[in-house]
Amino acid sequence: DTAVSQTPKYLVTQMGNDKSIKCEQNLGHDTMYWYKQDSKKFLKIMFSYNNKELIINETVPNRFSPKSPDKAHLNLHINSLELGDSAVYFCASSPAGGSDEQFFGPGTRLTVL
Amino acid sequence: QKEVEQDPGPLSVPEGAIVSLNCTYSNSAFQYFMWYRQYSRKGPELLMYTYSSGNKEDGRFTAQVDKSSKYISLFIRDSQPSDSATYLCAMSAGGYQKVTFGTGTKLQVIP
């Protein structure tokens, strides 16, 4: 009955590899997000999609490419992984925009060696 | 200057104490103010939500917003060990504007 789910939960990989993280929400929300949380717990927005359309694209290297096949799914593909990409990545969803409560997934802990 | 400033702590208090957590911000367009609680190795979950200035109470939790001072607070009464977590303030101008989070304050309530 998980509201926002992410896979995988843990990801350990070598520098230079390409990896994907998947996110699914069963809340019927229109808006989905990707956040990056660094080791100091700072949570920063990366992307936001509303009904499969990109609405927020923060200053993120273009090695990061989000894809939303439908409004219940938002995946994140990362090319040429770097050490600095090591962080916890959270997917979230909300009924509409930024004034609504956001529901977060459990996070994907990415470690780049 | 960061858009949202929050003391990272850690803050350590005895069980039963009143806890005060605060954030300041610089963007006068912010209208929606939230507090999220994040347990270790979990995703954040919404604790309190306030629109514009004023107070809101929910059980042991009270959120205050003072837009004139660009200052928000979260008070926890009768703190419990289960309140031990990181508390993140968050704010937004509304619509499809992004939500900006503070850096979080780590709270430990000692039994």
Side-chain angles (χ1 to χ4, degrees), chain B residues 11-93:
Chain B
L11 184 60
S12 190
V13 301
E15 185 176 351
I18 295 174
V19 176
S20 171
L21 304 168
N22 311 294
C23 286
T24 58
Y25 63 94
S26 57
N27 188 344
S28 56
F30 287 148
Q31 297 278 0
Y32 299 88
F33 303 91
M34 295 148 274
W35 286 94
Y36 281 81
R37 178 175 60 195
Q38 185 176 20
Y39 290 114
S40 181
R41 296 192 171 253
K42 300 283 187 189
E45 54 180 352
L46 185 70
L47 196 58
M48 298 289 282
Y49 176 103
T50 314
Y51 170 68
S52 196
S53 281
N55 294 358
K56 185 173 183 178
E57 192 173 317
D58 184 1
R60 296 185 294 111
F61 299 90
T62 300
Q64 286 185 353
V65 175
D66 181 351
K67 287 187 69 181
S68 61
S69 303
K70 295 192 178 69
Y71 187 88
I72 72 170
S73 302
L74 177 72
F75 296 95
I76 307 174
R77 287 184 300 282
D78 187 25
S79 55
Q80 302 295 308
S82 58
D83 295 328
S84 298
T86 296
Y87 290 79
L88 301 150
C89 63
M91 38 201 90
S92 166

Side-chain angles (χ1 to χ4, degrees), chain A:
Chain A
D1 248 59
T2 310
V4 181
S5 59
Q6 295 178 228
T7 52
K9 199 166 182 183
Y10 298 95
L11 193 49
V12 181
T13 188
Q14 300 286 333
M15 268 175 53
N17 283 352
D18 303 339
K19 289 293 176 187
S20 290
I21 307 172
K22 295 187 175 183
C23 178
E24 177 181 359
Q25 55 98 0
N26 62 6
L27 297 166
H29 289 166
D30 285 345
T31 308
M32 295 185 72
Y33 311 82
W34 276 113
Y35 285 89
K36 178 180 180 181
Q37 188 171 49
D38 62 25
S39 57
K40 295 186 177 178
K41 292 285 194 181
F42 182 51
L43 195 63
K44 190 166 174 10
I45 182 82
M46 299 174 71
F47 302 103
S48 173
Y49 272 74
N50 179 260
N51 273 319
K52 303 193 297 174
E53 191 177 324
L54 182 67
I55 54 171
I56 293 175
N57 184 352
E58 287 291 287
T59 312
V60 177
N62 57 15
R63 297 182 296 103
F64 290 79
S65 51
K67 278 195 173 55
S68 183
D70 55 62
K71 73 174 194 176
H73 295 84
L74 180 62
N75 304 322
L76 183 66
H77 187 76
I78 316 169
N79 288 327
S80 304
L81 278 155
E82 300 177 358
L83 293 176
D85 298 332
S86 296
V88 182
Y89 291 84
F90 286 101
C91 176
S93 73
S94 68
S99 57
D100 289 334
E101 174 180 0
Q102 295 188 13
F103 293 79
F104 284 80
T108 296
R109 187 170 294 270
L110 172 65
T111 303
V112 182
L113 303 174

